[in-house]
Amino acid sequence: MYTFSSRLKMASFIMMIVGLLGIGIGFMSAPTTIEESKAMVASHDEGHGDGQSADTAHAVANSHGQEHAEGHDASHDEHVLHQLQNKPWAALYVAAFFFFMIALGALAFYAVQRASQAGWAPLLFRVMEGITAYLVPGGIIVFIILVLSVLHMNHLFVWMDPEVVAHDKLLQGKAGYLNPTFFLIRAAVFLGGWILYREYSRKLSLKQDASDDNASFKLNFRISAGFLVFYLISESIMSWDWIMSVDPHWFSTLFGWYVFASMFVSGITVIAMVTIYLKSKDYLPDVNDSHIHDLAKFMFGISIFWTYLWFSQFMLIWYSNIPEEVTYFVTRIEDYKLPFFGMVVMNFVLPLLLLMNSDYKRINWFVIFTGIIILAGHYMDIFNMIMPSTVGDQWSIGIPEIGAVLFFAGLFIFWVFRALTKAPLQPKRNPFIEESKHFHY
Amino acid sequence: MASKVIHAYYNDDDVLMHAVKKVKGAKHHIEEVYCPFPVHGLDKAMGLAPTRIAITSFIYGCVGLIVSIVMMNYIMIQDWPQDIGGKPSFSYIENMPAFVPIMFELTVFFAAHLMVITFYLRSRLWPFKKAENPDVRTTDDHFVMELAIHDNEKELKNLLMDTGAVEINVSEK
C-alpha cells in the first residue's frame, strides 16, 4: 500500500493556496469599466515604450478620418474591455481543461491497454487508475466553468450571447447545434460516460484481485473495448464543443484527433512521471527499465503523431489560404508568434531529439526532464487554442495564468496521490501480471 | 591456412544458448554460430558489440534533410522564384510548409536506403555471393557453433559433448 508522503501533501496544499491567491488576484484586477481597461492598456504601453498595441493604435487613428475614428475607438474600447475581462476566466479554463485532459488521456491509454490485452502494462494499471481518479473533480470543475459561461458570467463562448447571435447570420445557422441547453446536455453525457467507465472499470479491477475466477477481467476487457468506441466519438464532439466553439466562425475536420493526440501524449507522460516517482520511493519494486522504456517510446511516438496532425491542419489551411479558415492561423501567427511556434519546438523537436536514443529512454531523470517539456508544450497548445479568440492580443502569462496552473496542479497531485493510497499498487490476480513482472525489452 | 575448426551441431535454441554460455565460461573463442532463425539474446551471450547501424541511419537522415533543403532552396527560391498560385517564394522560410512533405520523404528515403546498403556492405551480401553456411541443415532445423582448434581437439570435443551437441565434426578451413 502506498502512503501519501506528508511533504508531497504539504506541497500540493501550498500549490493550491498560492494558486487560489493568483486566481483571486486575476479576477480582482480584471477591469469592470472601459475607463479602467483603457488605463490598463495605457500603463502596459508605458512599461514597454514601443509596445505593439501602441503602434497599431496609432496606425488605426491615422488611417481613419477624425469622426470615423471616434466611433471606431468606442467599439474598440469595448472589445478590449471584454478581452481583459476574459483573461482570468480564460486562464482558469485553460488550466482546468489541461489537467482534466491529462486524466482523460490516461483513461484512453488505460482502456487501450485493457482492450489490447497488453502484457507489459498490468503492473501500471493502479498508477493509471490513480491518475484517472482526477476525472471526477476535474470534470466537475470544467463543467461548472461551462455552466457559468452559459449563465453569462464571462465571454469565453461568444455564441452564448444572444445579442451577438442576433446580428450574426453564421451563428444563427449553427444555433441548432451551438445552443446552450444542448451544449450542456452533451457535456453532461460525455462526462457521465467517461466517469462511469472509469469508476466501473476500477471496481472490476479491484474485484478481480479478490475473486477466484477471471470473470471481472473479461468483463473489464469488453467494457474497455466498448468504451473506446464511445470515447472516440465523444472526444471528437467534446473538442468541437469545448475548444473549437470559442472560435465559432472557424472549423476544421481533424480538430478532434488533434486534441486527442494532445491529451493522449500528456496522459502517457504523466503516467511515466508518476511511475518513476513511485518507483524512486520503492513502491513499485517490479517495475523495471523496460516499462519506463515502453512509456518513453509512447511519449516519443505520440509526440510525433501530434506534430503530424498539427502540421496537417496548419499546412492544409495555409496552402489553400481560404479566407474563412485562414484567419485562425493569421491571428495566431500575428499575435502569438512565440507561443505558437515555440510549442512546436517543445512538442516535436525536443522530444524527437531527446527520446530518439534507446538508452536515454531508460534513464529516469531524462524521461522526467523530457516529460516536463512535453507537459509545458501541451499547456501552450491548449493556451494557443483558447486564448486568441478569448483575449486576443491582450494575452500574457502572468499571475492569473500561473496561479491557475498552480492551483490545478496542486489539486491534481493531491487527488491522484490520495487515490493511489486506496488500493495496493500492484494488481494481484491479473492474468497478465506475471508477464508484466518479467517484461523485458 | 591449415587451421582446423570444430563444428558442434545443436537442434534446439535453448540448448544452444546454454552451450554458448558454457563455452564462453570456459574461455574459448566462438568463431561463429549459424542459426536458421534469430535466437533472442544470442548476441548478448556471445558478447558481441552492439550494432551502430541506427547511428548511421540518423546521420543519413540528416544528410537527406539537408539535400532536400538545399535542392528546393536552389530550385524554388534562388534559381527561378516564380509566382506559382500566389505562393510566397521570397525566402525559404516563407514557403517552407509546402516543402515539408518533400523534406520528410527525402529524410526517410536517405535514412532507410543508405542504412540498408550499409547493412549489405558490412555483412557482405550481394546477389552473386557464394553462400557461406557450413552445412545446409543450418538453414532448416540445426544450429552450428564453430570453434577454432589450437591443439586442444580432445578437450573441446569433450566440452561440446557435455553441452548437448547432437553431432561434432572437425574440418579443415
Side-chain angles (χ1 to χ4, degrees):
Chain A
M1 289 292 270
Y2 170 67
T3 46
F4 200 161
S5 90
S6 58
R7 277 172 63 198
L8 191 63
K9 195 181 268 179
M10 208 52 200
S12 72
F13 279 128
I14 290 170
M15 283 164 96
M16 276 192 270
I17 292 164
V18 173
L20 264 184
L21 283 175
I23 294 170
I25 290 170
F27 278 102
M28 304 277 247
S29 56
T32 47
T33 62
I34 288 175
E35 282 66 41
E36 278 180 52
S37 88
K38 267 183 172 168
M40 277 177 76
V41 174
S43 72
H44 180 80
D45 287 344
E46 262 167 44
H48 309 265
D50 51 353
Q52 200 193 349
S53 44
D55 289 345
T56 49
H58 283 304
V60 167
N62 291 337
S63 64
H64 292 276
Q66 195 64 36
E67 68 273 45
H68 226 105
E70 257 166 49
H72 188 272
D73 272 354
S75 72
H76 173 76
D77 290 341
E78 201 186 329
H79 181 63
V80 172
L81 171 68
H82 283 176
Q83 288 183 332
L84 288 173
Q85 282 176 333
N86 262 343
K87 264 195 84 171
W89 283 100
L92 191 70
Y93 185 55
V94 169
F97 180 80
F98 175 68
F99 283 95
F100 169 76
M101 152 182 122
I102 290 174
L104 191 57
L107 186 72
F109 188 71
Y110 172 78
V112 168
Q113 300 306 314
R114 284 223 175 257
S116 64
Q117 306 202 345
W120 67 279
L123 220 45
L124 306 176
F125 275 171
R126 287 292 143 76
V127 176
M128 299 183 203
E129 285 164 11
I131 293 168
T132 55
Y134 180 74
L135 271 181
V136 179
I140 289 171
I141 290 171
V142 170
F143 190 73
I144 289 172
I145 296 176
L146 296 180
V147 170
L148 293 178
S149 303
V150 168
L151 295 176
H152 304 300
M153 300 284 286
N154 58 55
H155 305 94
L156 288 182
F157 298 89
V158 72
W159 57 266
M160 286 176 184
D161 191 344
E163 270 293 290
V164 174
V165 178
H167 296 99
D168 193 323
K169 266 264 163 28
L170 285 172
L171 291 187
Q172 285 163 23
K174 294 181 182 183
Y177 183 79
L178 286 182
N179 67 71
T181 324
F182 191 24
F183 175 81
L184 286 184
I185 290 172
R186 282 195 304 266
V189 169
F190 299 156
L191 280 168
W194 300 330
I195 291 172
L196 184 73
Y197 165 71
R198 191 268 159 194
E199 297 302 321
Y200 191 43
S201 179
R202 162 80 164 181
K203 215 180 107 194
L204 288 174
S205 174
L206 294 179
K207 207 170 143 199
Q208 170 71 17
D209 269 11
S211 72
D212 47 12
D213 61 1
N214 287 333
S216 305
F217 177 80
K218 287 180 188 161
L219 182 58
N220 216 343
F221 164 71
R222 281 200 292 273
I223 64 164
S224 298
F227 166 75
L228 284 172
V229 177
F230 171 76
Y231 170 78
L232 280 178
I233 297 166
S234 57
E235 189 275 336
S236 194
I237 300 176
M238 175 275 274
S239 73
W240 311 336
D241 281 5
W242 297 3
I243 297 178
M244 203 156 83
S245 85
V246 296
D247 248 316
H249 285 171
W250 181 77
F251 48 86
S252 166
T253 41
L254 63 65
F255 198 73
W257 300 356
Y258 171 55
V259 175
F260 162 73
S262 206
M263 69 169 63
F264 205 50
V265 71
S266 312
I268 294 165
T269 303
V270 172
I271 292 170
M273 291 166 90
V274 173
T275 305
I276 290 172
Y277 171 78
L278 290 174
K279 190 174 144 58
S280 74
K281 302 281 176 200
D282 273 340
Y283 283 110
L284 291 169
D286 287 327
V287 170
N288 57 41
D289 286 354
S290 294
H291 293 97
I292 306 299
H293 188 160
D294 256 34
L295 286 167
K297 272 191 285 188
F298 270 108
M299 285 159 64
F300 176 74
I302 309 295
S303 283
I304 292 169
F305 177 64
W306 173 88
T307 316
Y308 165 65
L309 293 176
W310 174 83
F311 183 70
S312 299
Q313 177 169 287
F314 173 71
M315 196 260 246
L316 283 180
I317 290 174
W318 172 85
Y319 214 125
S320 58
N321 206 15
I322 300 172
E324 66 174 322
E325 288 178 3
V326 85
T327 48
Y328 186 82
F329 288 114
V330 169
T331 52
R332 275 158 184 77
I333 290 172
E334 267 181 12
D335 298 334
Y336 290 76
K337 207 171 213 105
L338 182 64
F340 187 68
F341 292 110
M343 95 184 163
V344 182
V345 175
M346 286 159 83
N347 291 339
F348 173 61
V349 180
L350 294 177
L352 178 85
L353 296 175
L354 294 175
L355 288 179
M356 192 181 300
N357 190 318
S358 190
D359 296 331
Y360 291 174
K361 289 196 272 265
R362 292 169 177 272
I363 302 172
N364 287 350
W365 68 263
F366 210 88
V367 176
I368 293 273
F369 174 67
T370 318
I372 291 169
I373 295 174
I374 291 177
L375 286 182
H378 285 283
Y379 172 79
M380 287 319 300
D381 188 18
I382 305 299
F383 189 87
N384 277 311
M385 291 179 194
I386 300 291
M387 289 296 178
S389 33
T390 51
V391 304
D393 60 0
Q394 298 300 320
W395 72 277
S396 61
I397 296 186
I399 292 171
E401 286 79 10
I402 294 169
V405 169
L406 274 180
F407 172 74
F408 285 104
L411 183 66
F412 185 86
I413 290 170
F414 174 71
W415 204 274
V416 167
F417 284 90
R418 205 185 63 125
L420 286 170
T421 62
K422 298 268 174 70
L425 284 181
Q426 186 162 318
K428 272 195 275 298
R429 301 197 52 259
N430 188 302
F432 292 108
I433 195 73
E434 278 307 312
E435 183 181 341
S436 183
K437 278 184 200 168
H438 299 109
F439 173 67
H440 173 75
Y441 171 75
Chain B
M1 235 164 69
S3 68
K4 282 189 347 186
V5 291
I6 192 160
H7 282 143
Y9 290 69
Y10 300 88
N11 55 10
D12 188 292
D13 50 339
D14 273 345
V15 180
L16 173 76
M17 283 292 284
H18 287 298
V20 166
K21 281 171 192 158
K22 198 161 174 184
V23 172
K24 289 297 280 186
K27 301 249 184 287
H28 291 291
H29 178 67
I30 300 171
E31 295 278 317
E32 194 67 84
V33 176
Y34 298 89
C35 303
F37 54 78
V39 177
H40 189 75
L42 185 61
D43 53 338
K44 283 228 171 64
M46 287 173 71
L48 299 180
T51 172
R52 290 168 298 188
I53 200 152
I55 299 169
T56 67
S57 182
F58 179 76
I59 295 167
Y60 297 147
C62 294
V63 171
L65 184 65
I66 292 166
V67 167
S68 66
I69 291 173
V70 171
M71 177 182 80
M72 283 181 297
N73 184 51
Y74 177 68
I75 297 172
M76 301 300 291
I77 309 296
Q78 305 299 334
D79 189 34
W80 198 355
Q82 289 187 96
D83 182 341
I84 304 168
K87 284 279 157 282
S89 49
F90 305 107
S91 71
Y92 189 79
I93 198 76
E94 264 187 312
N95 211 357
M96 199 200 60
F99 302 147
V100 165
I102 300 158
M103 288 156 68
F104 171 77
E105 293 294 347
L106 276 187
T107 306
V108 174
F109 179 89
F110 273 63
H113 288 82
L114 293 180
M115 177 175 75
V116 168
I117 293 168
T118 306
F119 169 74
Y120 286 152
L121 290 174
R122 291 292 288 146
S123 46
R124 294 163 208 281
L125 285 174
W126 63 91
F128 300 104
K129 180 193 168 72
K130 196 175 171 305
E132 283 175 356
N133 56 324
D135 190 306
V136 288
R137 287 174 294 168
T138 60
T139 63
D140 183 17
D141 62 348
H142 276 68
F143 305 82
V144 167
M145 189 196 299
E146 181 179 294
L147 288 94
I149 296 171
H150 307 287
D151 303 324
N152 53 355
E153 189 175 329
K154 217 171 180 92
E155 181 203 336
L156 271 183
K157 264 189 174 167
N158 288 337
L159 174 72
L160 290 170
M161 275 322 269
D162 282 350
T163 60
V166 291
E167 190 180 323
I168 290 179
N169 293 336
V170 176
S171 54
E172 298 284 334
K173 192 164 192 183

